[in-house]
Amino acid sequence: MDATNNEPNWRTEHSLHPLKKIEIIVKGKRETFVQDLLEESGVSGYTIHRNVAGKGTSGFHEGNLLFNDEASLVMFFAVSDESKIQTIIDGLTPLFEKSSGVMFVSDTEVVRLKKFVGKASEQ
Amino acid sequence: MPTDLSALRARVENAANVLGRCWPLQSYIAANPLAGFEDRPFNEAVRHARALFDGCGYPRANQLRYAWNAGAIDPDHLQERLRAHEQTGPLETLLAELEGAEIRSESPAPRADDPLNRIMAKWLAVFLDQGQAAWSMPHREKGFYAAWREVAPYDTQIPNRASLRTLPERAVDALAAGLDGHPESQWEAILQHHLTALPGWAAFIKWRVQARHDAWQAAHPITLIGYLAARLHTARALGLSVTPNNERSAANRRPPNDDEYAERAAPWLEAWEATYREQLLSDLEIAASTTAQASASPRPNAQLVFCIDVRSEVIRRHLEETGPYETFGYAGFFGLPMQYEAHGTDARVELCPPIVDPKHRIRETPTADSGDAATHDRWQAWAQAGRSLVKSLKQNIAAAFGFVEASGGLFGAALAARTLVPNWLRTGREAWTARIPQPDDFCDLTLDRTPEADTPDGLPVGLAVQEKAAYAEAAFRLMGWDRFAPVVVFTGHGSETANNPYQSSLDCGACAGHPGGPNARVLAAICNESEVRAALRERGIDIPDDTVFLAAQHNTTTDAVQFFATPALTDTQAQIVAQLERDLNTAQDHATAERAPTLRGADLKRSTADTERRAVDWAEARPEWGLSGNAAFIIGRRALTSQCNLEGRAFLHAYDWQADANGTALAQIMTGPLVVGEWINTQYYFSTVDNAVYGSGSKITQNVVGNFGVWQGNGGDLMTGLPLQSLQSDDTTPYHHPLRLMAVVQAPVDRVKRILNRNAQLRMLFDHEWMALAVMDPEQNNAVCRYQPGGTWQDESEPSASTTEDAASVSEPERAMSV
């Protein structure tokens, strides 16, 4: 939708802004590493799903939270601008050379841009 | 963060894959020192590890000779395994050749990086100190790299120390600078070389990084990046190259014929394992056929739940012989992932396995009108003041001389008493303790959810009713309970030993190296609550009104079982408890009599008194054997094992295949307690086959460093494994038989297949032969079915579905990786 200078402010506040989304699935023991990577990449926030089950090249993984927190998979997702997502990709690519895990990057759109990128980026 | 720095972090993470895990001494956890190699087959993993750590991965020739002479290796199994490895010849000749192929331990030639290792071990020891040092390193609150950067320029052992003054402020920048000139393709090799130079220290740092809630890590943070940055720049200041090739001289590498030793030793290990396993399975098959004919037993007087620990098997067997008692095996933290705050201390102890995060905080708090608490606290305060005073006097420069003069006689007398009459001191201490009220007598546990006691940085205090019911239900479902005796006792365990830095290695592994008594108390108290019983009834578990739950603790050194404070009992219950206490004393005598011949120098006629002496003798290097001997993990009904003498070598987890139709409980057991059993078994295995590299050497020459670890003499690497005295009867006679764990599961084989198919991590341990699996299928008359690496089952022609891969599921992640 096009926003022009003549339109009221509420119209621009509800417009969508393109950003990148990264989804990461790793073994539970890599949670700390990925969390640190996300923190230091400068993304403003992220979501963690623990005890994720699923199948990959090494077989099916299913957590049993009663007795083993490490056996399950952990899923992260974060939304930010392309350069920060690229930093995360650059940190995960070498990791996945040695340990299992996947990442998916896709285009996404958000309404409140400030929540996802700092002021400087917005300008 | 610039791109190359985020790649550098990943390279450090990858390089650290090969490191084992090392916990502080206070919560010693037995774990596989080669855990980073479990994604490879065992024989390949030990060879890779040998190249990195210089450690032997197979039993030593003298250990195999000992087993052969003792008849622990069956000649038929040996011939079969030798044929499989294409080795032929007379057995004695092969054994002699094996001995010839073994590398003799010689004093290693000095290495180029020895000075670097000495300097780094020194800085790590002073930074990581947990209250042992009288003077602490300054700037520790800034973190390792920053503190080292401030102080290292004054280290006179570093010739070019002035160069350290201009290092970057951030550790990651300093590490990048340290790697300057080397392309990214070489980073991992360089970083791994430096991490494996002092693998014990690096493993401890790795643990600290993951233990974010550890108070010492919060106060004095350290990272692998900080350590590597400091190490690389120290190397440069010493004039050493940071690349692997130049730093370790080729002369120190093991000669190529060491591979020959691995090839020659492998069939002997496999035959040793086959001999033990075949005998065990044969015993179990006989027992299964006998007990299948037995009619259902009447309601027992008492049911006792012990930890799955191998030491429980001995006392359980002897207790069952004394009367109408049933015993069960369950993980020693009783399924309660809790943090415990004992009365009179701010320390919060995690009482759950290392692969589980604690989820609740339980506090020990005095009852409102307790005068006993004041008495106890007053004595505690006096005792603490006394200890502080003595420590100050010993460490104060001016006071130390006069203090020695004045108190020498007293200390000498105490030394003589501890050495000559340790039992007398024990009796005296017990008599004294009995006069002072103990927290168990006047404290309640905060079992109910207490939001007002929560702290912002802590776990929720107490449990909601439904949470309590869920933990109780999990316990009964996993163990497959179908009835309740008038008295049920949850029995944790702990060790009693003096002057022993490895005490926690003898405590309960499922409670992170602590005694399991508090967990037993919590579960017993929960099960006595009427609201919980009502909730359980809704969940299909009906506890009779005449059942009471008690808590106790098994002292694994003396085999005594002591009850915690008991709730009000009916006359019948009181009679049963009184008889049970007498029977536990009898069982203790029988159990210690069985164990005494294995402990050198034991008084066989007074075995219980002898174990009590070992528990308090500060010169005793072998107070008990811990989990030495462990070789099997049996998941099934007690009826399967109750007729067998398993010699304290088997973990026993109760499981009733008929009460778990969908296999949920079995999946929990196999992915939790069984995996922890594998950790313990591999720790004992590797500590035995190469004690200098994977163990921690002799206790005699060990010193505690920083209150968290041990090293040999006054420096070098942090020793991460078990001491020699925990594994060998003397310098040459092994006590622990280094055999990989055999899991025996009594359940329908299809159920076990389903579980393996859904847990790739677990299946990997069997496929890579870190442990073996046999299933006794009760639907097929307990016929034994053995899992074969790769996913097939012995005596079955069709391959398991688990070996097939879904092509579609492979392509999707690969596409994603190319984004």
Side-chain angles (χ1 to χ4, degrees), chain B residues 35 40 98 174 189 200 281 284 286 294 319 348 358 388 414 441 447 549 591 600 680 682 735 742:
Chain B
R40 306 170 199 211
L98 179 78
L281 289 171
L284 293 178
I286 294 167
L319 176 66
R348 295 171 188 174
S388 299
D441 304 322
L447 295 179
F549 292 86
R600 189 150 293 194
I680 294 169
T682 44
Y735 176 77
M742 171 72 161

Side-chain angles (χ1 to χ4, degrees), chain B residues 517-571:
Chain B
N519 297 60
R521 284 176 71 192
V522 172
L523 188 58
I526 283 175
C527 291
N528 283 329
E529 288 182 9
S530 54
E531 280 177 310
V532 174
R533 289 191 183 195
L536 282 172
R537 212 161 283 132
E538 284 171 17
R539 294 165 183 244
I541 296 174
D542 192 1
I543 300 172
D545 290 340
D546 71 345
T547 294
V548 68
F549 292 86
L550 307 179
Q553 186 159 292
H554 172 209
N555 179 330
T556 50
T557 313
T558 65
D559 272 321
V561 176
Q562 278 195 316
F563 286 85
F564 290 100
T566 53
L569 303 175
T570 63
D571 288 346

Side-chain angles (χ1 to χ4, degrees), chain B residues 759-779:
Chain B
N759 292 281
Q761 195 88 3
L762 173 69
R763 205 182 71 215
M764 182 189 77
L765 295 173
F766 297 118
D767 281 339
H768 292 171
E769 299 183 87
W770 292 94
M771 57 177 167
L773 172 64
V775 174
M776 296 182 75
D777 191 337
E779 289 178 337

Side-chain angles (χ1 to χ4, degrees), chain B residues 59-184:
Chain B
R60 293 307 178 89
N62 73 318
Q63 293 166 341
L64 293 170
R65 166 73 72 182
Y66 171 84
W68 175 244
N69 289 344
I73 301 176
D74 177 74
D76 292 339
H77 287 306
L78 182 58
Q79 292 286 10
E80 192 233 314
R81 295 319 306 158
L82 286 167
R83 273 196 301 279
H85 285 265
E86 297 174 345
Q87 295 178 26
T88 52
L91 297 179
E92 269 302 330
T93 312
L94 289 173
L95 189 54
E97 285 173 1
L98 179 78
E99 285 166 335
E102 188 178 36
I103 307 303
R104 301 270 175 266
S105 54
E106 293 159 8
S107 303
R111 284 177 167 169
D113 59 359
D114 280 349
L116 174 61
N117 287 339
R118 269 198 299 277
I119 291 169
M120 292 318 297
K122 174 186 72 182
W123 283 112
L124 287 169
V126 295
F127 178 83
L128 294 167
D129 181 80
Q130 298 187 355
Q132 186 172 337
W135 287 351
S136 296
M137 178 181 177
H139 308 298
R140 291 203 293 168
E141 67 288 349
K142 295 179 183 171
F144 175 74
Y145 172 74
W148 171 86
R149 184 168 159 269
E150 295 267 359
V151 192
Y154 301 97
D155 186 346
T156 53
Q157 288 180 311
I158 305 174
N160 188 19
R161 54 189 171 277
S163 65
L164 304 178
R165 292 182 190 279
T166 54
L167 291 179
E169 200 170 314
R170 289 198 319 161
V172 68
D173 297 326
L175 181 56
L179 288 164
D180 194 28
H182 298 281
E184 188 183 340

Side-chain angles (χ1 to χ4, degrees), chain A residues 3-62:
Chain A
T4 68
N5 290 338
N6 296 333
E7 286 177 337
N9 281 341
W10 63 267
R11 293 275 297 171
T12 53
E13 280 174 12
H14 287 77
S15 60
L16 289 167
H17 305 274
L19 282 175
K20 292 280 182 189
K21 177 169 81 169
I22 186 164
E23 291 157 284
I24 306 158
I25 303 172
V26 289
K27 284 185 183 169
K29 66 178 177 182
R30 301 283 173 213
E31 183 181 329
T32 314
F33 172 79
V34 177
Q35 210 172 337
D36 285 347
L37 181 66
L38 291 172
E39 295 275 355
E40 285 160 18
S41 68
V43 298
S44 57
Y46 50 85
T47 303
I48 305 177
H49 290 296
R50 295 198 177 90
N51 197 24
V52 176
K55 187 174 177 181
T57 48
S58 59
F60 202 94
H61 294 266
E62 185 175 56

